[in-house]
Every structure is written in C-alpha cells, then in structure tokens.
Amino acid sequence: MKIAKILLKSVTLLALLGGISSHAQATNVVYSVNMVGFQKIDSSGLLSPNSNLKMVSTPFLAGDTDINVAIGEQLTTGNTPAEGDNLIFYTPGIGYETVWRVGNVGNATFDNKWVKIVGGNPVVATNNIVPGSGFWVQNVQNVGTTQEIVFVGEVITDTNVNVSVASGLQMLSFPYSSDFDLPNDDSFSTSGATTGNTVAEADNIIVWDDLTASYQTFFLVGNVGNAAFDFKWIKDGTNPPEVATDPIKSGQAFWYQHQGAGFTWSTSIPY
C-alpha cells in the first residue's frame, strides 16, 4: 500500500510516498515494494489573495474510493463552505460542485462527513476519488496556514488504463504513479483526440503554472509533415511554435478541452 501526502499552502505541494524508483523511462515514478520516500511538487496554487487552491489528483487506487473513506476526516471542518475547507469537482455539462466536511454536529448522518447542498438542504457527498480524474482543494483558512491531504492506496500496475473523455471541458490526470510525459505523449493522438492547427480547432490541455500564477494552454497538432511537430502538444501563443517541454507532475490534475463528441483515452504503464 502506498501513501501520498500533499501539503496545501502557498509554497509547496509535498507528497509522502510509499516507494520511489528511478526508472529511466519515467520521472518521479512511485513504484516499489519496500522502499519509502518523498515526492515534492513545488506549487503556489494561489488564485486569489484569500483562497489557496490546488488542482490535485490521487496517483493511487484506494480500497474504497468514496470521498468519505478516500479523503475521510481530513482538512478543517466547518458549518458552511466559508468555514470548512472545500473540495471542488467539475462535471462536464453540469459545472462545479463544492463539498466540505462538517464536524461533530450531533447527527450521525452528517457527523464528520463531506456534504453538499442540494435543493437548499445538506446531503452527504458521494464523489469518488480515483486516478485519472482531478479536483480542486481549497484551503479557506488564513493565508499561510498549512493544510495537508493524504492519499492512500495501491500503485496501479495494469498494462493499460482507460479514461473516458467527454465533449467539452473536464478535469483529468495521468492515472499512473508517475509524471505525465507531455512532451513525448502520443496516447491522446492514438486514442482519438481531436487535432488541429490552432488552439480553437484542436483539443487542449490546460495546466496551472505556479511560476507565472496563470494557466498555460497546449493544443494537439496533427500530421503537419514535420517530425518535430507531428502529433505534438504545442504551447499556445508561441511564434515560432514551441512543443511542450515539461511533464505534468504526479498528483497534479489538468483541464482537458475536447472538441469532439468524446473518446476513450488509453494510457500505458510508464514503469
């Protein structure tokens, strides 16, 4: 069983992992039997002065993926989303859904559970925390207050993992315990992603950039007759065009904008 710990503050995203191996084909691989190590992801994630937001994912498969087990009694509780730390999910075609954890309110149905508001009434959240998806974690405590979230589960060792991609915008993540090698990725193009010559025509991957405190968009070009660019992720706004140079870190989710009707993203084990 592997463990990942992510610190939610304005300077560092820290992951405590149940094993690190230095395979040449994948960086920051988290796959081992006996070793225990650390994976550190630098990330400010500060979107506004009073709201520390992290776009995260679990790199492991929990025994029970229900939010009230996989996340459980973590982060700060409160009677409202303004008081308790939030998890924010995005569903294509529906939009955002915010859940927060209440404390001991004297009601066994809700005590220490993650809840949401439906029709003006609180209900227990049933979101699943699984590899391949992602969500925001919002630390609503005082700026600079350190919060942490721990993911526990098994490293995925399946040769291939399939992730459903819907039309439009959604939040995804690489479903293995490894960085996602965006510069050399061909898994999207071979799975049926939409290619194009511009960001408006092609599928997009949108990554939060801690250094610039902004999003960076990449679009997938098709066969343009140049091996340096064919089926590569191109950084939007560059002239001449630049191919993506950095991987997406393990435990980091990203936005995906699909221009078509949907497809299945088939990924292969990198370790």
Side-chain angles (χ1 to χ4, degrees):
M1 180 169 287
K2 312 301 177 185
I3 299 175
K5 177 184 289 184
I6 295 180
L7 294 181
L8 302 170
K9 57 182 181 179
S10 60
V11 292
T12 310
L13 187 63
L14 176 64
L16 171 62
L17 302 172
I20 295 180
S21 128
S22 57
H23 295 265
Q25 292 183 342
T27 58
N28 285 339
V29 171
V30 185
Y31 179 51
S32 174
V33 177
N34 299 313
M35 294 180 62
V36 175
F38 293 89
Q39 180 183 11
K40 183 177 180 180
I41 305 172
D42 295 323
S43 175
S44 63
L46 189 62
L47 295 185
S48 64
N50 298 310
S51 298
N52 281 316
L53 283 161
K54 300 287 184 183
M55 186 183 285
V56 305
S57 64
T58 176
F60 309 122
L61 183 61
D64 189 333
T65 61
D66 182 270
I67 186 174
N68 286 291
V69 179
I71 302 297
E73 297 183 13
Q74 300 189 72
L75 304 177
T76 300
T77 62
N79 292 327
T80 69
E83 299 172 350
D85 293 327
N86 301 168
L87 303 184
I88 306 171
F89 299 87
Y90 185 86
T91 302
I94 297 176
Y96 289 104
E97 175 186 68
T98 298
V99 306
W100 81 99
R101 190 168 71 84
V102 300
N104 190 337
V105 294
N107 183 325
T109 300
F110 296 105
D111 285 349
N112 295 306
K113 291 292 197 300
W114 289 92
V115 301
K116 59 183 178 180
I117 299 298
V118 178
N121 299 309
V123 298
V124 175
T126 58
N127 306 75
N128 287 301
I129 309 299
V130 295
S133 63
F135 54 95
W136 290 108
V137 179
Q138 184 178 29
N139 175 5
V140 301
Q141 311 312 307
N142 294 330
V143 172
T145 299
T146 299
Q147 297 286 70
E148 64 183 34
I149 185 169
V150 177
F151 296 116
V152 178
E154 297 295 329
V155 169
I156 294 177
T157 57
D158 295 340
T159 302
N160 298 100
V161 173
N162 293 328
V163 177
S164 295
V165 178
S167 178
L169 187 67
Q170 57 233 280
M171 200 179 292
L172 302 178
S173 66
F174 191 51
Y176 289 102
S177 305
S178 168
D179 290 355
F180 177 41
D181 188 10
L182 188 64
N184 297 303
D185 170 64
D186 64 359
S187 63
F188 276 106
S189 63
T190 57
S191 296
T194 301
T195 61
N197 293 325
T198 68
V199 70
E201 297 172 351
D203 282 5
N204 301 171
I205 283 179
I206 307 165
V207 182
W208 175 250
D209 187 325
D210 294 329
L211 295 178
T212 62
S214 62
Y215 285 112
Q216 179 60 64
T217 300
F218 302 88
F219 65 96
L220 184 63
V221 300
N223 188 343
V224 294
N226 185 329
F229 298 104
D230 287 346
F231 302 107
K232 296 291 188 181
W233 289 99
I234 304 299
K235 186 176 181 180
D236 185 38
T238 57
N239 188 18
E242 298 177 10
V243 175
T245 56
D246 298 318
I248 298 175
K249 297 295 185 180
S250 177
Q252 180 181 4
F254 53 89
W255 289 113
Y256 192 90
Q257 176 73 38
H258 177 43
Q259 308 292 359
F263 66 98
T264 298
W265 174 32
S266 181
T267 62
S268 299
I269 192 168
Y271 38 74

